[in-house]
Amino acid sequence: QVQLAESGGGLVQTGGSLRLTCTATGVVVFSAKCMAWFRQAPGEEREMVASLGTEGPATYASSVKGRFTISREIVYFNLFLQMDNLKPEDSGIYYCARYSDSACNSSPTYWGQGTQVTVSS
């Protein structure tokens, strides 16, 4: 089955940067499906941060637009999230997600376990 694993989370000060990586296994034609990053803060619903279908451009939540960049490397089936100028409100658990739709027209089918991002003041 498809398995997703995130890495790259950690503790960073306000204004700093982190680069998250999602590695997929058990996937055939990784690049043919929509991939996305979600995040969830304590007591809040999980929200989509950025998504990337098989046809660009990428989409972003308004709160992160201009600061986060989603990309993928098809050779090794990796998904990335470059996060710059981080703010305390960006803190939360970040999840990699894979859809069964190349155009991101459905809810994600697979989720990673998440990686913690904490931005201190």
Side-chain angles (χ1 to χ4, degrees):
Q1 63 177 25
V2 174
Q3 292 183 306
L4 307 177
E6 304 93 338
S7 62
L11 175 64
V12 64
Q13 293 185 334
T14 297
S17 298
L18 287 173
R19 185 176 177 83
L20 305 184
T21 298
C22 171
T23 301
T25 58
V27 177
V28 177
V29 194
F30 178 94
S31 62
K33 305 298 183 182
C34 173
M35 297 288 291
W37 287 97
F38 287 73
R39 69 184 179 190
Q40 185 170 26
E44 300 182 12
E45 295 184 348
R46 191 172 299 183
E47 65 173 347
M48 192 275 288
V49 175
S51 65
L52 184 63
T54 58
E55 298 180 9
T59 62
Y60 299 91
S62 60
S63 60
V64 307
K65 190 173 184 179
R67 299 187 297 119
F68 290 11
T69 303
I70 186 173
S71 62
R72 66 168 125 229
E73 181 181 47
I74 61 173
V75 175
Y76 297 107
F77 299 154
N78 292 328
L79 183 74
F80 306 97
L81 184 67
Q82 177 65 43
M83 305 185 294
D84 297 319
N85 192 24
L86 284 161
K87 305 174 181 179
E89 53 263 43
D90 293 318
S91 298
I93 302 176
Y94 283 70
Y95 299 89
C96 172
R98 176 179 170 84
Y99 293 69
S100 296
D101 189 336
S102 64
C104 309
N105 290 326
S106 63
S107 298
T109 302
Y110 302 99
W111 297 87
Q113 293 297 306
T115 184
Q116 178 71 50
V117 171
T118 303
V119 184
S120 63
S121 300

